[in-house]
Amino acid sequence: MVKSGKQAKIKGGLAESPSHLMHRVLQLALDIYAEEAGPDGLTQRQFAVLEAVSARSGLTQTDLVKATGIDRSTLADLVARMTTKGLLERERSTLDARAKAVRLSAEGEAALIAARPRVEAADKRILALLPKARREGFLDLLTSLTEAADAAPERARAEAKAVKKAAKEARKAEKAAKKAQDGAKPKKKKKTVQDAEATEARIIPLKEAAKA
């Protein structure tokens, strides 16, 4: 019997799965955002792209991936659709002639300004679900997880490089060991001209003795 009158928390399984719990929280956050933004408002990802471009105009697609955390293929499609809608404008990057940079259009800037109060209201609703004393810690945890996510690609590249280097060193060590093993084996003495002449000198007397 639960004396507090509250339903006991079920331990184990999904109740202790971080990925599942974060998925449920994300769904809650997106639902709240959609309610505040309205059917005609910016989606959460559209808002993130516009806010990132507003903070630093002329971002390339690679820059936006880093700034928003949206994967490259999804971002490419998103930017294309936002450009078609007139929210973004694309131009040749001044830093990389091969890349396209994006900047806010007048329509995009107006949409961003209109969306900011709605996003702020959504954020307040989400934080209001927690006691005041736990909100700052909650944001700190989210920041730590975000930083870990940002560092993941670089860490993966470093790990792949380390594995490749270790494999190369292993092959090098194996080759050196084989070379040392081959060097330890007694080598067959090559026959020289002198050896051949000495052998022939021994054979000739035997032939002569056989004739006698």
Side-chain angles (χ1 to χ4, degrees):
M1 181 181 293
V2 181
K3 294 182 180 180
S4 63
K6 295 181 179 180
Q7 185 178 0
K9 292 183 178 180
I10 301 174
K11 294 295 182 181
L14 295 178
E16 294 182 350
S17 169
S19 58
H20 173 71
L21 295 175
M22 284 192 289
H23 177 75
R24 291 191 62 182
V25 172
L26 173 61
Q27 190 58 57
L28 172 64
L30 291 176
D31 288 344
I32 292 175
Y33 178 93
E35 290 174 6
E36 293 294 338
D40 298 325
L42 296 173
T43 66
Q44 197 280 328
R45 284 179 171 174
Q46 287 175 336
F47 174 79
V49 169
L50 291 181
E51 196 67 272
V53 175
S54 175
R56 182 184 161 195
S57 184
L59 293 178
T60 64
Q61 182 170 306
T62 299
D63 296 328
L64 281 173
V65 168
K66 294 178 180 178
T68 63
I70 302 172
D71 67 88
R72 186 175 295 274
S73 59
T74 301
L75 183 67
D77 181 61
L78 181 61
V79 169
R81 286 187 281 109
M82 292 176 71
T83 302
T84 301
K85 285 184 176 182
L87 298 174
L88 292 173
E89 295 177 352
R90 285 198 276 197
E91 57 189 6
R92 186 70 63 183
S93 172
T94 57
L95 300 177
D96 186 351
R98 298 169 300 175
K100 287 288 186 71
V102 295
R103 62 185 178 87
L104 285 181
S105 64
E107 186 176 346
E109 185 173 2
L112 179 61
I113 292 173
R116 280 172 177 160
R118 300 179 182 182
V119 175
E120 185 178 353
D123 289 340
K124 286 182 178 179
R125 281 182 59 184
I126 293 170
L127 288 177
L129 297 173
L130 294 172
K132 289 184 179 180
R134 299 179 64 181
R135 294 173 189 175
E136 185 175 350
F138 174 69
L139 291 175
D140 288 341
L141 288 174
L142 292 179
T143 300
S144 296
L145 289 173
T146 300
E147 291 173 350
D150 291 340
E154 185 63 33
R155 185 171 61 251
R157 284 191 291 269
E159 290 175 352
K161 186 177 180 180
V163 170
K164 186 176 180 180
K165 183 178 180 181
K168 184 178 180 181
E169 292 296 331
R171 289 194 298 269
K172 186 177 179 181
E174 183 180 356
K175 186 176 180 180
K178 185 177 180 181
K179 185 176 181 181
Q181 185 178 6
D182 292 342
K185 293 180 180 178
K187 294 183 178 180
K188 293 182 179 180
K189 186 178 179 181
K190 293 183 178 179
K191 287 186 177 182
T192 63
V193 175
Q194 292 80 359
D195 293 336
E197 291 176 349
T199 302
E200 186 176 356
R202 288 195 299 271
I203 293 175
I204 291 174
L206 291 174
K207 288 182 178 180
E208 292 177 350
K211 289 179 181 181

